[in-house]
Amino acid sequence: MTVFVIRRLLQAMLVVFLMSVIVFFGVNIVGDPVYMLVSPDADQADIEAAIRRLGLDRPIWEQYWLFLKGAAQGDLGDSFVFGEPALKLILHHMPATMELAFSALFLAIVIGIPLGLYAGLYPDSPLSKGIMAGSILGFSLPTFWVGLMLIMLFAVELRWVPATGRGDIGSFLGIHSSLFTLDGLSHIFLPALNLALLKISLAIRLTRAGVREAMGQDYVKYARAKGLSTRRIILVHVMKNIMIPVVTVMGLEFGSLIGFSVVTESIFAWPGMGKLLIDAILQLDRPVVVAYLMIIVLFFVLINLIVDILYSILDPRVRLQDQGA
């Protein structure tokens, strides 16, 4: 197990380094932020002074080397627009995005897995067919359109929940979150549901496929022959085996919930990292864009590492195959 974890850590470090090269050079060769930051009346001397102040007069490879040195010390550069550390700005907006991502993942699990389990156990029932048809819609409908429809229905017509904003923030055990207040929960319901729809559909289809495959396996037939109850067969034998791919996929999808919440945050005016990214792109605030992308890369790499370790615990054959390779 130790060798397996060390090998995965080395692979993760290599991925982070390669992605830092792609992200930094990809962002810094696009556009010229100086002309968006200086006054339209600025003369050439003012423009050159701004270029030197931002460090854009250095060769691109030198800028990257300085970025690596700063990143090793936890400094991802200062925002061109706000004049503050980019990492500080992102960390300030991160709790809102994490709340949204965790809420969406929670909805995907508590809604998607039971529906997929039912659809797998009773595939020919009308309800199961309706569940599968709904999952197709969840994959097909665009997020921005669904978000607008949710606002029109629940916030404008029915007036059950607010349309935008984060709501009041509460505190529990020293943790500050809008999830600890009723106002915060009412504000997060629509954006979390909008972000979770695709993942709910994915959980439904993944769970259904796993159940259909597991129910025909010999160990299930043997359990039935022993006289075990249907509840015990499903909860102990079937669920244990189908949770391996479910844990893997949903764990990886959590990273996408964080990284691709931009549309949902923009529609619902949710003050998270995605909204900060949109503002930074429009203003060509390169350090903020690079810092955001690198943090998302770290999230994906860390989540992949955790999923690999959990997978190897659930299925020790993964470690043996890795050693054999």
Side-chain angles (χ1 to χ4, degrees):
M1 185 67 181
T2 303
V3 175
F4 177 82
V5 172
I6 292 175
R7 182 175 296 182
R8 287 293 186 267
L9 283 172
L10 293 176
Q11 293 174 351
M13 292 172 62
L14 178 61
V15 170
V16 171
F17 171 73
L18 293 176
M19 287 305 300
S20 72
V21 175
I22 296 173
V23 167
F24 187 87
F25 283 89
V27 171
N28 281 272
I29 62 176
V30 177
D32 189 349
V34 174
Y35 291 96
M36 300 190 66
L37 299 174
V38 299
S39 170
D41 301 327
D43 55 19
Q44 188 61 32
D46 293 332
I47 294 175
E48 292 178 357
I51 292 175
R52 289 192 297 271
R53 186 178 73 254
L54 299 176
L56 301 178
D57 56 328
R58 298 186 177 93
I60 187 68
W61 62 265
E62 185 178 347
Q63 295 180 42
Y64 176 69
W65 174 245
L66 293 174
F67 168 77
L68 281 184
K69 289 175 62 177
Q73 301 172 2
D75 180 11
L76 298 179
D78 293 337
S79 167
F80 291 165
V81 176
F82 299 99
E84 298 182 12
L87 185 59
K88 178 181 177 182
L89 288 171
I90 292 173
L91 292 178
H92 176 73
H93 290 79
M94 184 181 292
T97 297
M98 296 300 291
E99 288 173 6
L100 187 59
F102 274 116
S103 300
L105 183 64
F106 175 77
L107 290 177
I109 291 173
V110 300
I111 297 176
I113 292 180
L115 291 180
L117 181 63
Y118 180 88
L121 293 174
Y122 309 102
D124 297 325
S125 70
L127 180 57
S128 295
K129 294 179 180 178
I131 291 172
M132 298 311 296
S135 70
I136 295 175
L137 288 177
F139 279 116
S140 306
L141 296 177
T143 302
F144 70 89
W145 183 84
V146 174
L148 293 175
M149 293 302 102
L150 290 175
I151 291 175
M152 289 293 296
L153 177 61
F154 293 104
V156 177
E157 296 294 334
L158 300 177
R159 298 185 179 182
W160 287 354
V161 289
T164 59
R166 189 180 177 192
D168 296 335
I169 298 176
S171 179
F172 180 72
L173 298 178
I175 302 175
H176 302 281
S177 172
S178 62
L179 298 177
F180 300 141
T181 65
L182 290 177
D183 184 63
L185 289 174
S186 66
H187 278 80
I188 201 174
F189 174 73
L190 286 185
L193 180 61
N194 184 56
L195 188 60
L197 283 178
L198 177 61
K199 311 308 176 188
I200 291 174
S201 300
L202 179 62
I204 288 174
R205 302 187 76 84
L206 190 65
T207 305
R208 180 188 181 277
V211 171
R212 296 301 302 155
E213 181 181 359
M215 294 302 290
Q217 297 297 317
D218 291 338
Y219 62 85
V220 173
K221 298 177 181 177
Y222 180 69
R224 284 175 174 168
K226 288 177 61 178
L228 297 180
S229 65
T230 302
R231 178 188 295 270
R232 181 173 177 81
I233 292 173
I234 294 173
L235 295 180
V236 176
H237 297 281
V238 175
M239 290 298 294
K240 180 181 178 181
N241 285 277
I242 70 172
M243 285 309 293
I244 293 177
V246 170
V247 167
T248 303
V249 175
M250 297 308 292
L252 297 177
E253 290 299 317
F254 179 69
S256 68
L257 288 173
I258 297 173
F260 304 113
S261 61
V262 177
V263 174
T264 297
E265 290 185 3
S266 300
I267 293 174
F268 293 92
W270 189 261
M273 296 189 298
K275 191 172 185 302
L276 176 67
L277 174 66
I278 293 296
D279 295 338
I281 291 174
L282 294 176
Q283 297 169 328
L284 286 180
D285 196 349
R286 290 176 177 175
V288 174
V289 176
V290 171
Y292 172 86
L293 294 176
M294 287 308 304
I295 288 177
I296 296 302
V297 168
L298 288 173
F299 266 120
F300 270 99
V301 170
L302 181 61
I303 290 171
N304 272 275
L305 180 62
I306 293 173
V307 168
D308 279 345
I309 294 174
L310 289 176
Y311 204 118
S312 67
I313 293 174
L314 292 172
D315 189 355
R317 292 174 298 177
V318 174
R319 297 198 300 269
L320 297 176
Q321 293 173 0
D322 187 75
Q323 291 174 2

